[in-house]
Amino acid sequence: MNEIILSEQFVVPTKADVANQTASLVAQVQEGEINPMRAYAIMAALEKVASDVKKQIMEQVLTEHERYGEKTTKVYGATFERCEVGVKYDYSEDKEWRMLQENIEAIRVEQKARELILKETGRCGKSSTTSVKVTLAK
Protein backbone atom coordinates (compact mmCIF):
# COMPACT_ATOMS: atom_id res chain seq x y z
CA MET A 1 0.00 0.00 0.00
CA ASN A 2 1.24 3.46 -0.78
CA GLU A 3 2.28 5.46 2.26
CA ILE A 4 -0.30 7.96 3.47
CA ILE A 5 1.42 11.19 4.45
CA LEU A 6 -0.35 13.62 6.78
CA SER A 7 2.14 16.46 6.81
CA GLU A 8 1.39 19.97 8.05
CA GLN A 9 0.91 20.93 4.37
CA PHE A 10 -1.97 18.46 4.03
CA VAL A 11 -5.17 20.52 3.92
CA VAL A 12 -8.10 19.07 5.84
CA PRO A 13 -10.88 18.66 3.29
CA THR A 14 -14.27 20.31 3.69
CA LYS A 15 -17.57 18.48 3.21
CA ALA A 16 -17.68 19.94 -0.30
CA ASP A 17 -14.16 18.62 -1.01
CA VAL A 18 -15.21 15.16 0.19
CA ALA A 19 -18.35 15.26 -1.97
CA ASN A 20 -16.30 16.32 -5.00
CA GLN A 21 -13.71 13.60 -4.45
CA THR A 22 -16.48 11.04 -4.00
CA ALA A 23 -18.16 12.12 -7.23
CA SER A 24 -14.84 12.01 -9.08
CA LEU A 25 -13.97 8.50 -7.90
CA VAL A 26 -17.48 7.19 -8.60
CA ALA A 27 -17.34 8.69 -12.10
CA GLN A 28 -13.97 7.04 -12.75
CA VAL A 29 -15.45 3.67 -11.79
CA GLN A 30 -18.62 4.22 -13.82
CA GLU A 31 -16.62 5.29 -16.87
CA GLY A 32 -14.42 2.20 -16.65
CA GLU A 33 -11.21 4.05 -15.74
CA ILE A 34 -10.94 2.17 -12.44
CA ASN A 35 -12.01 -1.44 -11.86
CA PRO A 36 -14.94 -1.35 -9.40
CA MET A 37 -13.61 -4.24 -7.32
CA ARG A 38 -10.20 -2.57 -7.06
CA ALA A 39 -11.82 0.69 -5.95
CA TYR A 40 -13.98 -1.16 -3.42
CA ALA A 41 -10.99 -3.02 -1.96
CA ILE A 42 -8.99 0.21 -1.68
CA MET A 43 -11.90 1.96 0.05
CA ALA A 44 -12.22 -0.97 2.50
CA ALA A 45 -8.52 -0.68 3.29
CA LEU A 46 -8.76 3.09 3.78
CA GLU A 47 -11.76 2.67 6.09
CA LYS A 48 -9.74 0.19 8.18
CA VAL A 49 -6.74 2.53 8.32
CA ALA A 50 -8.93 5.47 9.33
CA SER A 51 -10.78 3.49 12.01
CA ASP A 52 -7.62 2.03 13.52
CA VAL A 53 -5.74 5.35 13.54
CA LYS A 54 -8.66 7.19 15.15
CA LYS A 55 -8.92 4.58 17.91
CA GLN A 56 -5.19 4.61 18.59
CA ILE A 57 -4.75 8.40 18.76
CA MET A 58 -7.91 9.28 20.73
CA GLU A 59 -5.97 9.93 23.96
CA GLN A 60 -3.64 12.36 22.19
CA VAL A 61 -6.62 14.08 20.54
CA LEU A 62 -8.31 14.52 23.93
CA THR A 63 -5.11 15.88 25.45
CA GLU A 64 -4.65 18.32 22.57
CA HIS A 65 -8.30 19.38 22.76
CA GLU A 66 -7.90 20.20 26.48
CA ARG A 67 -5.23 22.76 25.56
CA TYR A 68 -7.90 24.89 23.92
CA GLY A 69 -9.92 25.09 27.15
CA GLU A 70 -13.31 25.01 25.45
CA LYS A 71 -15.90 22.27 24.95
CA THR A 72 -16.05 23.14 21.24
CA THR A 73 -12.98 24.13 19.25
CA LYS A 74 -12.63 25.05 15.60
CA VAL A 75 -9.26 24.27 14.11
CA TYR A 76 -7.99 23.09 10.70
CA GLY A 77 -11.39 23.86 9.21
CA ALA A 78 -13.09 21.31 11.45
CA THR A 79 -15.10 21.59 14.65
CA PHE A 80 -14.02 19.43 17.56
CA GLU A 81 -16.51 18.96 20.40
CA ARG A 82 -15.68 17.06 23.55
CA CYS A 83 -18.63 14.84 24.48
CA GLU A 84 -19.43 11.64 26.30
CA VAL A 85 -20.29 8.72 24.06
CA GLY A 86 -21.22 5.18 24.93
CA VAL A 87 -22.34 5.97 28.49
CA LYS A 88 -23.32 2.77 30.30
CA TYR A 89 -25.27 2.36 33.50
CA ASP A 90 -25.19 -0.67 35.81
CA TYR A 91 -28.63 -1.41 37.27
CA SER A 92 -27.76 -4.91 38.48
CA GLU A 93 -27.71 -3.90 42.16
CA ASP A 94 -31.47 -3.24 42.08
CA LYS A 95 -33.58 -6.31 42.95
CA GLU A 96 -36.68 -5.15 41.02
CA TRP A 97 -34.58 -4.38 37.94
CA ARG A 98 -33.02 -7.87 38.06
CA MET A 99 -36.49 -9.45 38.26
CA LEU A 100 -37.66 -7.43 35.25
CA GLN A 101 -34.49 -8.41 33.36
CA GLU A 102 -35.13 -12.10 34.04
CA ASN A 103 -38.69 -11.71 32.70
CA ILE A 104 -37.40 -9.98 29.58
CA GLU A 105 -34.85 -12.73 28.98
CA ALA A 106 -37.52 -15.44 29.38
CA ILE A 107 -39.76 -13.66 26.87
CA ARG A 108 -36.83 -13.29 24.44
CA VAL A 109 -36.24 -17.06 24.59
CA GLU A 110 -39.92 -17.64 23.77
CA GLN A 111 -39.75 -15.07 20.97
CA LYS A 112 -36.66 -16.71 19.40
CA ALA A 113 -38.37 -20.10 19.51
CA ARG A 114 -41.44 -18.63 17.79
CA GLU A 115 -39.25 -16.93 15.16
CA LEU A 116 -37.59 -20.26 14.40
CA ILE A 117 -40.97 -21.92 13.84
CA LEU A 118 -42.09 -19.07 11.59
CA LYS A 119 -38.87 -19.25 9.54
CA GLU A 120 -39.05 -23.02 9.17
CA THR A 121 -42.68 -22.93 8.03
CA GLY A 122 -42.20 -19.91 5.75
CA ARG A 123 -44.90 -17.96 7.58
CA CYS A 124 -42.87 -14.76 7.84
CA GLY A 125 -41.63 -12.12 5.46
CA LYS A 126 -38.00 -11.82 4.49
CA SER A 127 -35.97 -8.99 3.06
CA SER A 128 -32.28 -8.62 2.47
CA THR A 129 -29.72 -6.39 0.86
CA THR A 130 -27.04 -7.81 -1.37
CA SER A 131 -23.53 -6.54 -0.82
CA VAL A 132 -19.95 -7.69 -1.20
CA LYS A 133 -17.79 -8.52 1.81
CA VAL A 134 -14.13 -7.63 1.40
CA THR A 135 -11.41 -9.47 3.31
CA LEU A 136 -7.99 -7.91 2.91
CA ALA A 137 -4.96 -10.14 2.47
CA LYS A 138 -2.65 -10.58 5.45
Side-chain angles (χ1 to χ4, degrees), residues 23-112:
S24 174
L25 289 169
V26 168
Q28 290 176 62
V29 169
Q30 291 173 339
E31 293 167 9
E33 296 174 31
I34 300 175
N35 180 291
M37 291 177 74
R38 178 177 171 74
Y40 202 80
I42 291 170
M43 293 302 109
L46 289 173
E47 285 176 341
K48 178 78 171 126
V49 168
S51 175
D52 290 353
V53 169
K54 286 170 59 178
K55 285 177 191 170
Q56 293 180 37
I57 68 170
M58 182 52 68
E59 283 301 317
Q60 290 91 340
V61 171
L62 290 169
T63 300
E64 181 67 15
H65 188 271
E66 286 176 10
R67 290 183 48 224
Y68 292 88
E70 300 288 332
K71 180 179 178 183
T72 302
T73 302
K74 291 186 179 186
V75 63
Y76 303 114
T79 301
F80 294 80
E81 182 177 358
R82 187 181 189 99
C83 56
E84 288 194 31
V85 295
V87 177
K88 295 181 183 180
Y89 296 94
D90 181 4
Y91 305 107
S92 63
E93 297 296 318
D94 183 77
K95 183 178 179 180
E96 185 176 346
W97 182 90
R98 285 194 313 270
M99 182 190 69
L100 291 168
Q101 186 64 26
E102 288 172 10
N103 291 344
I104 289 169
E105 289 171 10
I107 290 170
R108 281 193 182 126
V109 168
E110 290 179 41
Q111 183 182 38
K112 290 293 178 192

